[in-house]
Amino acid sequence: MQFDSNLPIYTQIINLLKTQIAAGKLSGGDKLPSVRELAKELKVNPNTIQRSYQELEREGLVFTQRGMGTFVTQEQTKMQALKKSLALEVVNNFVTNMHKLGFNNKEIFTMIAELVGEEKK
Amino acid sequence: MNNIVEIKNLTKIYYDKIALDNLNLKIKKGKVVGILGPNGSGKTTLIKILTGLLRPTSGEVLIDQQKIGVYTKSIISYLPDRNYLYKWMKIEDACRLFKDFYADFDANRFAELLDFMQLKENMKIDTLSKGMHEKLNLALALARKAKLYILDEPIAGVDPVARDQILDAIINNYNENSSMLITTHLVSEMENILDEVVFLKEGRLVSKGNAEQLREEKGKQIVEIYKEIFAQ
Amino acid sequence: MFKYIKYEIKGTYRYILGTMAFVLMLITGFYTYLVNASRAPINSIGFVSLLLGLTLFGTAVATFLYIVGSFRKELYEDRGYLTFTLPLTGKQIVGAKLTVAFIWFFLLGTVFPLYNLMMISIFNAAVHNLTEIFTAIAQVISFKQALFFIFNTVLKTSNFLLLVYFSITLSRVTFRNKKIGGLWFVLFLILSWLMSYGETKIASLLPYYLNLNLQSNNFMLNQLILNGMTLDFFHTGSLTANIASNIYVLVVTVTLFLATSYLIEKKIDL
């Protein structure tokens, strides 16, 4: 994986894992790769991975079982909240960018309605 | 004490050229530290002082609380930037030599690393290619359970596949009880495995810090910060 | 140190044993020629003998250069990065180098004369077997003489080798440049001169001699010398040793050893 945004590596890894959880690639109760495995896979310092896992744990998205590893939470409320916050972020970015391009909210709505409508057909 | 390396007012002068200018640096145990700077910035000079190949003109260097000497040599695993093995050797001879001289050398681990690097024990040193040399030297260095690893330009001059292998081996080898000092000018390839970075410019320490913290503060990857410091 | 000696030997034995095998073959060739050419003119025998002498001399020089070279390589080539980062003291490194140089000198210094003697006993009707030769030598040389002979050989050889090592190391410490580093030989000549000047000066100032003569006839000893062992104090035919100058050589040798070790451990910049 290429880390090229302006964010610290651990934040980028958190975002990566969050996306995987929200997308269902990692579902509730799944075991995350070990710190060392992920470090090797992403070619990143194990301390960085450790920090990402700690951060995710603090947010309640994963939990650690002694000697077993780190697992994705099974609390549905947490999962829903995560999905919602990620979605919100995407929408926010989208709206901001649309505003930058000079569209107003009404125009954005129409555009989306048309697009979604097309997809339904 | 928590510091594996303590450098105080270190200066090195070759005749009229100042290679290191009043350097002060402490390196905590268990960290992977990158010494970053272009060629000629004093990286190799610093490393050669730590390994006992060069003498400081002035200043003090302590490794694990000791002055440079037989003890510090016994706890440092050094990867030089050249082919330092005796030319008459086969790989197995180099393995025996390391086993004889370093109590922390793990022959099984070495065999694993050789396998990983696709090298064979009966290969002759003077028939190896540059990339193979680099991999062999790294295998020897990483097969030790040393307190301090000093790797001088570990990925310079090898192809991308070998680079990945070398990075893998370094990450694999990481543990909390040992520290690593890595010099490089290939910042983007290496920066993600570093805990701390130190920027050396013309023998002077111009900046240092925790890599993640620097990324957060400056909103940039280390390679961008590097370019900012050295672009002129 | 013994561990390091092992690797020194491993690194040099091919060259030494190779040279030895080659020279032994040459010697055999010479003797075979001498025997077969018994009807040949006298001066051809002289010529072959000269060749034999030159071969032995050449081998000595080549071996010396090889040993010097192997020390120099540590200071000027990449292998020094390995040697000088091993957890060894300067004394251990110099000691190992010295020991191995000794082992080879000793090996060549005994094998060639013995082989020559063997050749003589095989091809020369006058000498029937080796035991005879050794009994003859044992009659002429006393235990005391042999002991002193060994002591003196060891001392002189170490003195010589350390003078070389010290010169190379000092020139490396003083000049980082490899080309200027070639000046070690000039340094070596100056130090050798100082060394022998001091030796004779002290001998004349303190003329106390250890008399090692038991018998006046040292013919056999002189024969030995001709067969490859060179020892200055035998040339006179009488065996005396100046006590003070021997002590002087000993002290200088030890000092050279300590100084070289110190420079290697504390001063060398690779």
Side-chain angles (χ1 to χ4, degrees), chain A residues 8-114:
Chain A
I9 310 291
Y10 81 94
T11 318
Q12 296 187 53
I13 292 169
I14 290 173
N15 290 342
L16 173 81
L17 289 168
K18 278 183 177 172
T19 315
Q20 288 188 349
I21 293 171
K25 278 185 193 160
L26 287 165
S27 35
D30 276 2
K31 189 175 179 293
L32 293 181
S34 75
V35 168
R36 202 168 282 273
E37 274 165 24
L38 194 58
K40 266 173 73 177
E41 193 187 317
L42 301 177
K43 308 242 182 297
V44 163
N45 186 311
N47 286 332
T48 310
I49 307 287
Q50 187 66 46
R51 186 164 173 197
S52 307
Y53 280 17
Q54 280 167 358
E55 202 67 22
L56 284 171
E57 194 167 359
R58 214 175 47 80
E59 291 181 29
L61 287 168
V62 302
F63 62 95
T64 311
Q65 273 193 336
R66 262 178 178 276
M68 302 277 286
T70 308
F71 298 86
V72 180
T73 184
Q74 281 169 315
E75 287 176 48
Q76 283 307 310
T77 46
K78 290 273 186 206
M79 295 286 256
Q80 293 308 321
L82 169 67
K83 276 194 154 179
K84 199 170 175 189
S85 82
L86 287 178
L88 218 62
E89 210 175 297
V90 172
V91 174
N92 254 326
N93 282 338
F94 167 72
V95 172
T96 319
N97 285 332
M98 289 303 274
H99 284 165
K100 273 186 197 161
L101 289 172
F103 291 92
N104 61 35
N105 287 351
K106 205 182 165 191
E107 284 168 323
I108 296 174
F109 271 127
T110 347
M111 224 177 202
I112 291 177
E114 272 174 20

Side-chain angles (χ1 to χ4, degrees), chain C residues 163-176:
Chain C
L163 217 52
V164 172
Y165 290 171
F166 179 75
S167 310
I168 293 174
T169 313
L170 188 64
S171 79
R172 179 67 165 108
V173 170
T174 322
F175 321 100
R176 264 176 72 87

Side-chain angles (χ1 to χ4, degrees), chain B residues 12 48 55 73 86 100, chain C residues 6 83 265 268-270:
Chain B
K12 176 69 186 174
K48 284 166 79 177
R55 325 291 158 177
K73 288 178 183 179
Y86 302 153
D100 271 349
Chain C
K6 193 168 89 189
T83 307
E265 200 174 310
I268 284 276
D269 268 357
L270 282 187

Side-chain angles (χ1 to χ4, degrees), chain C residues 155-224:
Chain C
L155 184 60
K156 283 281 167 63
T157 315
S158 349
N159 182 269
F160 175 69
L161 281 169
L162 282 166
L163 217 52
V164 172
Y165 290 171
F166 179 75
S167 310
I168 293 174
T169 313
L170 188 64
S171 79
R172 179 67 165 108
V173 170
T174 322
F175 321 100
R176 264 176 72 87
N177 188 309
K178 189 176 180 177
K179 280 178 190 152
I180 312 177
L183 281 179
W184 76 267
F185 195 71
V186 178
L187 197 64
F188 168 71
L189 290 180
I190 295 170
L191 288 174
S192 306
W193 181 80
L194 279 176
M195 178 71 218
S196 49
Y197 178 77
E199 206 180 331
T200 39
K201 200 79 186 159
I202 283 183
S204 63
L205 282 174
L206 298 162
Y208 302 106
Y209 288 87
L210 206 62
N211 191 351
L212 296 155
N213 288 311
L214 286 180
Q215 280 153 306
S216 53
N217 182 4
N218 273 319
F219 174 73
M220 280 307 293
L221 278 177
N222 285 322
Q223 281 303 109
L224 260 178

